[in-house]
């Protein structure tokens, strides 16, 4: 099956009922996320569904920051994470048991809820937090036979909003459709306010949208542009296209963030690792970027009052130039150092 190559998120607002629809299709962004990660097919598929869902939900963020979705599994898939910013910058990663023989036909629960201890987590993380403000975190048990049902249950419990999700993923594309009722008159753009709609009318309108969306065929979300999907499903439903946006891959890791992580471990632990390995290398689990720290780098981490790693490193290099001219202070390690990896936030 061939797919379009662009990435698009399209938002529709229905004008005669308080509801909206969002359609996303990611190809280049999705392929960048999985590039260099040898995920088993079933892990890749479940991660793609989480990526599509995070993009759909992030379209409604009312703050400058990120939405993070996590599946914390108790089966062979240990963790799935997808993060999407309010600007639709996306990154994602997966952790799983490398010794497990994955069956592509295994169920959702067998992969992440084998003993009933799996958890779904949604985090809302404002970029410009007020003093003392912490990210909002909601957690529920994994209820349902797939990710769509889990998120639908979460939205019903935490937001009291009727929400339906259709998700589809393959090695080339991650796609999804979100249908959601809106509180109050949120979706009403016509002269008829939602207060004039009886509960029966609201329920009937909602079920009509759900029934139309349920006509999606397997692979259809992957094969067609969001505009085509929106037209095919809702061409008879009065609506406005509020936005057409382009999601992109974006990882927020940086050398300064790695430096802060190493500094938090303490000088003794960092120097002991340096002696054993000759250098410290940390790989970002999201984008595979490797950050290497040699003896000078590690020394600079613990200069009193240090905050900006690059500035402190330059000062440290000048002050230790003579010390480095002969030997590197006994920190020579093996030619092929171990490479501990860490997820960078």
């Amino acid at each position: 099956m061939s797919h379009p190559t662009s990435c698009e998120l399209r938002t529709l607002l229905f004008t005669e009922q308080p509801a909206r629809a969002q359609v996303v299709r990611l190809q280049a962004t999705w392929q960048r996320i999985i590039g260099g990660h040898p995920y088993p097919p079933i892990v890749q598929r479940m991660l793609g569904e989480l990526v599509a869902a995070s993009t759909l939900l992030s379209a409604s963020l009312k703050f400058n920051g990120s939405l993070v979705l996590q599946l914390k599994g108790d089966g062979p898939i240990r963790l799935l994470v997808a993060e999407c910013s309010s600007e639709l910058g996306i990154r994602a990663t997966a952790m799983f048991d490398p010794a497990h023989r994955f069956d592509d036909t295994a169920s959702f629960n067998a992969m992440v809820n084998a003993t009933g201890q799996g958890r779904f987590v949604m985090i809302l993380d404002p970029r410009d937090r007020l003093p003392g403000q912490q990210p909002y975190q909601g957690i529920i048990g994994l209820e349902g036979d797939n990710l769509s049902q889990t998120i639908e249950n979460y939205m019903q419990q935490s937001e009291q909003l009727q929400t339906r999700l259709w998700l589809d993923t393959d090695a080339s594309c991650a796609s999804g459709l979100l249908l959601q009722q809106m509180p109050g008159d949120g979706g009403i753009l016509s002269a008829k306010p939602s207060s004039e709609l009886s509960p029966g009318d609201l329920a009937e309108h909602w079920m009509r949208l759900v029934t139309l969306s349920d006509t999606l065929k397997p692979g259809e979300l992957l094969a067609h542009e969001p505009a085509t999907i929106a037209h095919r499903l809702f061409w008879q439903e009065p609506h406005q296209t509020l936005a057409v946006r382009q999601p992109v891959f974006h990882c927020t890791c940086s050398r300064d963030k790695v430096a802060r992580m190493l500094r938090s471990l303490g000088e003794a632990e960092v120097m002991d690792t340096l002696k054993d390995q000759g250098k410290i290398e940390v790989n970002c689990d999201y984008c595979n970027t490797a950050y290497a720290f040699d003896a000078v780098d590690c020394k600079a981490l613990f200069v009193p009052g240090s905050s900006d790693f690059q500035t402190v490193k330059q000062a440290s290099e000048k002050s230790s130039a003579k010390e480095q001219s002969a030997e590197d202070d006994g920190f020579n390690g093996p030619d092929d150092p171990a490479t501990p990896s860490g997820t960078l936030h």
Side-chain angles (χ1 to χ4, degrees):
M1 178 185 297
S2 62
H3 305 299
T5 58
S6 63
C7 299
E8 182 179 294
L9 173 68
R10 181 171 291 256
T11 300
L12 312 178
L13 198 63
F14 296 98
T15 59
E16 294 185 354
Q17 54 187 303
R20 64 184 164 205
Q22 288 164 168
V23 190
V24 69
R25 199 256 310 126
L26 308 169
Q27 186 178 40
T29 299
W30 170 234
Q31 292 178 10
R32 176 63 181 85
I33 288 172
I34 61 176
H37 295 285
Y39 296 136
I42 192 170
V43 176
Q44 184 183 94
R45 183 170 71 250
M46 291 177 63
L47 182 64
E49 292 181 354
L50 196 69
V51 167
S54 71
T55 310
L56 290 165
L57 293 169
S58 294
S60 302
L61 288 180
K62 300 291 194 296
F63 61 87
N64 182 24
S66 297
L67 177 145
V68 182
L69 301 184
Q70 298 179 354
L71 277 179
K72 296 185 175 181
D74 63 356
I77 297 179
R78 308 289 171 73
L79 180 67
L80 300 175
V81 182
E83 178 180 355
C84 186
S85 72
S86 48
E87 297 87 9
L88 299 187
I90 309 168
R91 64 177 187 167
T93 189
M95 298 180 184
F96 56 93
D97 180 359
H100 185 77
R101 296 174 64 90
F102 284 92
D103 179 359
D104 293 349
T105 63
S107 69
F108 173 80
N109 284 310
M111 290 293 98
V112 293
N113 202 30
T115 64
Q117 300 302 309
R119 294 291 182 266
F120 172 77
V121 182
M122 180 183 290
I123 300 171
L124 302 177
D125 189 7
R127 188 168 300 147
D128 304 314
R129 300 180 199 166
L130 298 174
Q133 183 181 12
Q134 298 295 320
Y136 168 81
Q137 179 173 284
I139 305 174
I140 64 167
L142 298 183
E143 302 176 6
D145 296 329
N146 52 51
L147 177 63
S148 294
Q149 292 178 10
T150 296
I151 295 177
E152 290 165 4
N153 290 332
Y154 176 89
M155 297 303 296
Q156 181 62 41
Q157 292 179 31
S158 66
E159 307 294 335
Q160 287 78 53
L161 292 176
Q162 288 280 356
T163 303
R164 289 293 308 272
L165 273 168
W166 292 260
L167 303 170
D168 204 354
T169 303
D170 63 14
S172 299
C173 198
S175 300
L177 165 67
L178 178 143
L179 196 62
Q180 190 170 61
Q181 285 187 331
M182 301 177 68
D185 292 341
I188 302 300
L189 299 181
S190 67
K192 184 177 182 180
S194 62
S195 58
E196 294 184 12
L197 297 173
S198 69
D201 289 336
L202 290 172
E204 181 181 347
H205 287 315
W206 173 252
M207 286 309 303
R208 176 174 172 80
L209 294 177
V210 171
T211 300
L212 291 171
S213 300
D214 272 335
T215 64
L216 282 168
K217 299 178 177 62
E220 194 168 358
L221 282 169
L222 299 174
H224 300 292
E225 298 277 357
T228 302
I229 295 294
H231 177 75
R232 188 184 85 68
L233 295 178
F234 306 122
W235 67 276
Q236 289 184 309
E237 304 301 306
H239 68 269
Q240 291 188 2
T241 300
L242 286 190
V244 178
R245 303 170 65 190
Q246 286 71 47
V248 297
F249 175 82
H250 177 67
C251 188
T252 59
C253 72
S254 70
R255 190 170 180 82
D256 280 339
K257 288 184 178 181
V258 180
R260 289 197 295 271
M261 181 270 290
L262 292 174
R263 196 178 291 121
S264 71
L265 298 177
E267 186 172 5
E269 183 173 346
V270 169
M271 292 306 177
D272 285 345
T273 303
L274 188 64
K275 288 180 181 179
D276 291 339
Q277 301 178 3
K279 67 176 179 178
I280 296 177
E281 187 171 276
V282 179
N283 290 337
C284 177
D285 288 337
Y286 292 95
C287 66
N288 274 334
T289 298
Y291 296 93
F293 290 73
D294 60 16
V296 173
D297 298 330
C298 292
K299 182 178 179 181
L301 292 173
F302 301 100
V303 172
S306 63
S307 59
D308 186 309
F309 172 74
Q310 292 297 335
T311 300
V312 173
K313 181 188 175 185
Q314 290 170 6
S316 177
E317 287 174 336
K318 290 179 180 179
S319 66
S320 61
K322 291 183 179 180
E323 300 175 25
Q324 296 294 319
S325 62
E327 296 181 351
D328 64 352
D329 295 331
F331 290 131
N332 283 327
D335 292 335
D336 185 19
T339 308
S341 96
T343 300
L344 311 180
H345 302 289

